[in-house]
Structures are given as structure tokens and as C-alpha cells.
Amino acid sequence: MGLLSRVFGSRPDESSVTHAVGDAVTRLPGVSGHSLTYQHQQYGGGALHGVVDVDDSPTFLTVLRTAVSTLADLLGDDVDRVTFYLSGRTPDGEPVVPGDLGTSQPPLGRELRTRLAP
């Protein structure tokens, strides 16, 4: 997937991407809820926004890995240009953001795929 798919509109629609990422995240142990939204960007891969209710920081790390993997399955290499405006929220209300885990804030998919690879 790349420039031609963006030009000719063959990317999956935003709602199906949002649904797929939400389903994948919901199945993770330690996740109790989320409000995720994916949007295509005209000259970029897209943006994933939202808050995920997690038990702890390691669970949020798993959420990021799962979101990147799911988006890579759907978008191919375009995931590298997706901006992740995600945060986690622990049961005590403390936020967890990708920057807390050693990435830039907000990170791009390219960085997450490189830094968070298992």
C-alpha cells in the first residue's frame, strides 16, 4: 500500500480501521475500556486518537504493540506514517503516554515498529 492506494482510494475506510483496532485492544488482558478513533490524513498514513483504560504501564505498552500490528495488517507500510495520539489511564486515574515508555510524543508508527518490536 502506498501512494497509488491513497490516490485511488483503496485504503480501508476509517470506521472499519477504528473497529478492527478497537476489537484487538479490547481482547487484551488488563484493558477495561477504550475510546479509539482512526482518521486518514491526506498526505500521511493517518492518526489514531483515544484513551485506553489499562491496569498499568506494561499493559499500555501491549496496547501500543497491538495497535501498530493491527494497523500494519490493514494499512501495510502506511502504518509508518500514522501518528499515535494515544494515552492510557490506570485505575487510579494516572495517565500513561507513549513518551513515558521512551518514545517521542506523539510517536509515528515507524518509531513504534522499530522501538517496540518484540
Side-chain angles (χ1 to χ4, degrees):
M1 243 184 236
L3 178 61
L4 289 177
S5 63
R6 287 191 300 280
V7 169
F8 293 109
S10 63
R11 294 188 290 185
D13 66 87
E14 293 172 341
S15 64
S16 66
V17 174
T18 296
H19 186 73
V21 174
D23 281 352
V25 166
T26 298
R27 288 191 296 268
L28 296 172
V31 172
S32 58
H34 67 80
S35 61
L36 297 177
T37 305
Y38 173 81
Q39 296 173 317
H40 291 307
Q41 294 176 336
Q42 184 175 0
Y43 298 109
L48 184 63
H49 301 266
V51 177
V52 181
D53 295 317
V54 295
D55 286 348
D56 50 28
S57 293
T59 301
F60 184 65
L61 180 62
T62 302
V63 165
L64 288 173
R65 283 187 177 123
T66 300
V68 169
S69 174
T70 303
L71 287 171
D73 289 346
L74 297 168
L75 304 175
D77 289 338
D78 281 349
V79 69
D80 287 346
R81 291 187 311 283
V82 173
T83 304
F84 286 76
Y85 298 102
L86 288 182
S87 64
R89 181 175 43 221
T90 62
D92 61 2
E94 289 297 312
V96 182
V97 296
D100 295 339
L101 305 173
T103 68
S104 60
Q105 187 61 36
L108 290 173
R110 174 179 36 257
E111 177 184 6
L112 292 177
R113 284 191 352 168
T114 301
R115 294 188 61 150
L116 302 179

